[in-house]
Amino acid sequence: MRQIIRFPPLLPKPVWRLCSFRCHTGSDHDAAAVQQSEGEAETQNKIKKKCKRKRPSCPAVLDHFDRQYGEELGDLWTSARTALLDPRSWQYGVMLNRFSVLTDITQKLQSQGFSALLPQTNSSASLCASSPSTEEKDSMLIPHCLLPHELHHHPQSHPSLQCYIHPLSLRFPSQAHRPGRLKQYYLLNAASLLPVLALQVRDEDRVLDLCSAPGGKAIAIMQSATPAFLCCNEPDPHRRDWLTKTLESFLPPSLNSRVTVTGRDGRLIAQTEAGFYDKVLVDAPCSNDRSWLYSSSNQQGAQRLKNREKLPSLQAQLLRSALSAVRPGGVVVYSTCTLSSYENWAVVEKILRDFPQAETEDLWEDIAIPLSNYFTFSPPPGQNHIHLKKSPLTLDSTVSTRHHRLGLLVVPQHGKMWGPMFVSRIRRIE
């Protein structure tokens, strides 16, 4: 029988480090909140306009992005560039924690103009507004979250993954980490929920979050379903500590037997757990466009761009390991928070060539069409990844089924400041 260890001892320095490359789809304020002491007073629970001092962009990184993305995205990069260079316009979603007493959080969000990103039934809405006892909170094991297009097939279902968004750059205040007290919500880039939706986790699935820190997607998985086992893997010790605090802030102790944190090299996991998992999420180390654009110096930016050349190889190794760790018929979702075609489409195409048991699945009907009012999706690149002119995909766009099946790319645009986020769903065939 497989032994489950919740918090393993810190491991030696990993072969591959994620600190410089990992996507951070939560709010910067969430990271700071984890470090706050218990004695600090909480910010008043009111919506406020996000006031960030305008930071200068890194010229080396911006120049590189202009050349690469101008070629790959064409006209779409012009508007994305404007959006990324204006952090004050960035939007944040509010993901509610079903394991916490939410009291009137939902009503406060709605009164300030926030609306639900995902369809909710009346039953699930009333559940969130209630104030259950501790025992009831720990037993809130709600069925899996349905994608929007599934609701008409399951009128009695109760989706539990709830995220509220606002058309403007308004945000809730962050909540401090306090031992023994669960947070009510998690601030995040709403596009970071798309990989979790694509994964389609069901109750009692065995799930691996291969590159888990800082933990937002693991929390979203646990909002969507109650897997039999969720392994949150993070090899970097510092980020693993961050991940552990995140999980402690959102999940009740009753789930300790289901959720474990490990610190293994993600490229080698399949050596000991081949075919063990039903679902694997690979939120891969990548050139995080939002973060890299604001590198603290040209020297740091230049070093990051130099390291960027090594990323596609690492990403392919992680994806190949994930496909070996999932059972035949199981699903792997690959995601990044970069616009780079070399880290997105090209990695998926390489795996399809090298791993004959891998087969991509079309996310157009499942995700792009139902959520097209909230996200801007870019057309896939051609075989040479070169496009001199592009515009966002529309519902009547004629793009080949093969291109749809490779994945979706969310491009931030004014009024839809979500992403960058690339998502591809790959099934290991029998």
Side-chain angles (χ1 to χ4, degrees):
M1 183 175 179
R2 187 177 183 278
Q3 184 179 10
I4 298 176
I5 303 174
R6 178 166 170 74
F7 300 120
L10 296 183
L11 302 181
K13 185 176 180 180
V15 177
W16 53 280
R17 292 177 61 86
L18 304 186
C19 291
S20 300
F21 304 135
R22 285 287 293 115
C23 300
H24 178 204
T25 51
S27 158
D28 291 337
H29 299 270
D30 280 341
V34 171
Q35 307 300 328
Q36 288 181 308
S37 64
E38 184 175 359
E40 291 182 291
E42 289 188 4
T43 308
Q44 289 184 351
N45 193 15
K46 61 181 180 180
I47 306 297
K48 48 185 182 178
K49 185 81 174 178
K50 191 160 62 112
C51 297
K52 279 189 176 182
R53 190 191 319 179
K54 191 167 184 179
R55 296 175 291 169
S57 60
C58 176
V61 175
L62 182 58
D63 179 67
H64 183 89
F65 284 1
D66 281 339
R67 286 184 279 110
Q68 180 182 350
Y69 297 155
E71 185 177 27
E72 293 178 358
L73 297 173
D75 291 345
L76 199 54
W77 168 241
T78 303
S79 50
R81 183 186 194 272
T82 301
L84 290 173
L85 289 175
D86 185 14
R88 290 171 296 185
S89 70
W90 295 0
Q91 296 165 274
Y92 289 95
V94 183
M95 177 174 65
L96 302 186
N97 182 16
R98 68 177 172 125
F99 303 107
S100 174
V101 179
L102 297 177
T103 57
D104 58 350
I105 295 295
T106 302
Q107 288 80 4
K108 287 182 178 179
L109 286 165
Q110 292 173 340
S111 70
Q112 294 295 330
F114 283 79
S115 59
L117 173 66
L118 302 171
Q120 300 293 321
T121 65
N122 291 333
S123 297
S124 63
S126 62
L127 174 64
C128 296
S130 64
S131 301
S133 66
T134 302
E135 293 76 18
E136 289 171 330
K137 283 187 289 176
D138 285 356
S139 63
M140 279 187 190
L141 306 184
I142 307 171
H144 74 273
C145 175
L146 296 176
L147 292 170
H149 77 283
E150 295 181 287
L151 286 177
H152 67 281
H153 296 300
H154 303 271
Q156 302 304 317
S157 298
H158 307 296
S160 53
L161 177 56
Q162 296 186 81
C163 179
Y164 282 80
I165 60 175
H166 198 282
L168 304 177
S169 56
L170 303 180
R171 59 177 295 276
F172 251 21
S174 300
Q175 294 180 316
H177 171 73
R178 295 192 174 186
R181 180 175 177 180
L182 298 182
K183 293 186 180 182
Q184 297 171 305
Y185 53 85
Y186 186 94
L187 303 182
L188 77 172
N189 182 329
S192 65
L193 294 180
L194 300 188
V196 176
L197 292 177
L199 197 61
Q200 295 182 327
V201 176
R202 302 296 189 251
D203 291 348
E204 301 306 317
D205 276 349
R206 292 173 295 186
V207 184
L208 169 62
D209 187 358
L210 191 62
C211 313
S212 191
K217 292 181 179 63
I219 297 302
I221 287 172
M222 296 304 296
Q223 304 304 314
S224 305
T226 305
F229 177 64
L230 171 62
C231 176
C232 301
N233 186 66
E234 175 54 58
D236 181 80
H238 172 73
R239 293 178 61 81
R240 189 161 62 248
D241 287 344
W242 184 4
L243 168 65
T244 300
K245 286 182 179 179
T246 300
L247 296 175
E248 289 175 349
S249 292
F250 287 90
L251 303 182
S254 60
L255 294 177
N256 283 3
S257 61
R258 294 178 182 261
V259 182
T260 179
V261 175
T262 61
R264 293 169 288 176
D265 184 336
R267 299 171 298 181
L268 307 179
I269 271 184
Q271 293 182 2
T272 56
E273 297 186 321
F276 177 76
Y277 294 97
D278 300 297
K279 309 282 171 64
V280 180
L281 174 62
V282 185
D283 188 37
C286 69
S287 49
N288 183 341
D289 293 350
R290 287 198 186 207
S291 174
W292 284 27
L293 193 55
Y294 294 96
S295 299
S296 59
S297 66
N298 259 339
Q299 183 179 7
Q300 183 191 49
Q303 184 60 46
R304 284 175 162 177
L305 294 174
K306 182 179 180 181
N307 293 336
R308 192 183 206 200
E309 299 173 1
K310 305 173 185 177
L311 286 173
S313 175
L314 170 60
Q315 292 156 346
Q317 292 177 66
L318 290 169
L319 184 50
R320 190 178 296 110
S321 176
L323 283 164
S324 298
V326 78
R327 63 171 174 79
V331 167
V332 172
V333 167
Y334 173 75
S335 64
T336 75
C337 55
T338 178
L339 298 171
S340 174
S341 64
Y342 301 105
E343 300 179 49
N344 296 333
W345 321 98
V347 171
V348 174
E349 288 177 326
K350 175 176 174 54
I351 289 300
L352 294 179
R353 291 193 301 268
D354 298 346
F355 201 98
Q357 296 83 20
E359 183 177 83
T360 55
E361 295 187 339
D362 193 346
L363 294 175
W364 186 246
E365 295 287 338
D366 281 358
I367 292 179
I369 291 179
L371 297 177
S372 60
N373 289 334
Y374 305 107
F375 302 101
T376 299
F377 297 97
S378 167
Q383 291 183 336
N384 297 324
H385 306 289
I386 296 176
H387 283 262
L388 298 179
K389 192 174 183 67
K390 272 195 175 183
S391 35
L393 276 178
T394 57
L395 297 186
D396 59 352
S397 294
T398 55
V399 180
S400 71
T401 300
R402 174 183 175 276
H403 280 160
H404 278 168
R405 294 174 71 91
L406 287 177
L408 299 174
L409 177 64
V410 178
V411 181
Q413 300 285 291
H414 181 70
K416 297 181 180 180
M417 279 302 305
W418 312 114
M421 181 61 61
F422 175 79
V423 187
S424 179
R425 185 167 67 206
I426 308 170
R427 187 173 297 276
R428 180 176 175 179
I429 58 179
E430 304 290 341

